[in-house]
Amino acid sequence: MHKCSCRRQSLVDKVKSTWRAQDGETVEQITANVAKVAHFVPRTWGVARGIDQSEYVFLSWTWHRDHRSLEEYVIAWKVTPDGTIKIASTYAKPMELGWRAFALSLIAGEVSDDEKDVNLRFLHDPANFNFVTTAQGKLDNLLGRPCTIVEPVIVDYLPKVDENQTTKGDLWLVLLLVNCNIPGPRYFTRKGVITFEKREGQEWGAAILPCQAYRDISPGLIV
């Protein structure tokens, strides 16, 4: 095998064997699980060099096996000269939280793009959001059984919220629109928005809590 080809394969193997999500999942574990629940078909691995001389390992994927050229996407990992590996594709950053977070972000995108045969059952299952864990417990337990998740759902990563941002650290964002089958005015118990935010080194917290009915479910959501 050509020396250059060996080098590329070595970098791909390094990402596959070294990079881990926060819960310890490997790239291959994540992609295999995501492919079972979302429109996600992994294709080929490759290596490219950036203008900063860092090397990028990338995985191309498409929505459908009979893909069209405009449907192909790339997840890239930046490999710096000191060996540090980080996801370079902003849209794929939810992968760092585990396969469920990445799958949810993709499925939510499918909904907004009017894709057919979207896995709404997975998107609406509160248990799949348990990577969001506050000091009061996992999100599934915080919502309780009286609440159902509906659209829109957003699972996103924001390297910068706005130009005037003063808070340090990138932002993880999980937005849920929920209906709660509990006593109270309809405008409090229907289509209420809960937004969870997390910055690097911080715990998850409820950033926006407009529906007063949630106080009856779990006061711990109010931080």
Side-chain angles (χ1 to χ4, degrees), residues 37-203:
V37 298
H39 289 106
F40 180 85
V41 182
R43 292 183 60 78
T44 58
W45 287 88
V47 176
R49 185 179 294 275
I51 57 175
D52 60 354
Q53 298 306 305
S54 293
E55 292 179 296
Y56 291 81
V57 173
F58 61 86
L59 169 65
S60 66
W61 64 276
T62 186
W63 280 9
H64 309 286
R65 295 193 182 278
D66 56 343
H67 78 291
R68 297 178 291 276
S69 59
L70 294 179
E71 288 184 354
E72 190 150 300
Y73 303 89
V74 169
I75 303 172
W77 287 262
K78 181 178 181 179
V79 183
T80 59
D82 66 0
T84 302
I85 301 173
K86 291 185 178 181
I87 293 180
S89 302
T90 301
Y91 83 92
K93 280 281 191 174
M95 183 185 293
E96 294 185 356
L97 302 177
W99 77 267
R100 286 182 175 83
F102 187 42
L104 289 165
S105 70
L106 294 179
I107 295 171
E110 293 172 14
V111 171
S112 63
D113 289 339
D114 296 322
E115 175 66 15
K116 296 180 180 179
D117 301 320
V118 176
N119 192 345
L120 295 179
R121 182 175 181 180
F122 188 89
L123 188 66
H124 294 168
D125 186 349
N128 289 325
F129 292 84
N130 278 345
F131 60 89
V132 176
T133 304
T134 71
Q136 290 76 34
K138 295 181 178 181
L139 190 144
D140 187 12
N141 295 328
L142 293 177
L143 285 179
R145 295 306 172 191
C147 292
T148 57
I149 297 174
V150 293
E151 283 87 43
V153 171
I154 294 175
V155 179
D156 207 355
Y157 167 86
L158 305 173
K160 192 172 186 179
V161 179
D162 56 56
E163 293 299 323
N164 299 317
Q165 178 176 324
T166 57
T167 307
K168 294 182 178 180
D170 301 340
L171 178 70
W172 297 100
L173 174 69
V174 175
L175 181 148
L176 303 176
L177 187 66
V178 299
N179 287 336
C180 292
N181 184 23
I182 59 177
R186 187 173 183 83
Y187 56 84
F188 279 155
T189 60
R190 295 293 180 270
K191 293 187 177 180
V193 179
I194 303 178
T195 303
F196 289 89
E197 292 183 359
K198 171 183 170 63
R199 293 189 182 275
E200 185 176 355
Q202 298 180 358
E203 300 294 328

Side-chain angles (χ1 to χ4, degrees), residues 11-48:
L11 284 172
V12 170
D13 291 342
K14 183 175 183 179
V15 170
K16 289 182 178 180
S17 63
T18 305
W19 184 89
R20 293 288 188 277
Q22 293 181 12
D23 60 1
E25 295 170 349
T26 66
V27 174
E28 291 179 303
Q29 287 173 329
I30 290 174
T31 54
N33 283 324
V34 172
K36 296 175 183 177
V37 298
H39 289 106
F40 180 85
V41 182
R43 292 183 60 78
T44 58
W45 287 88
V47 176

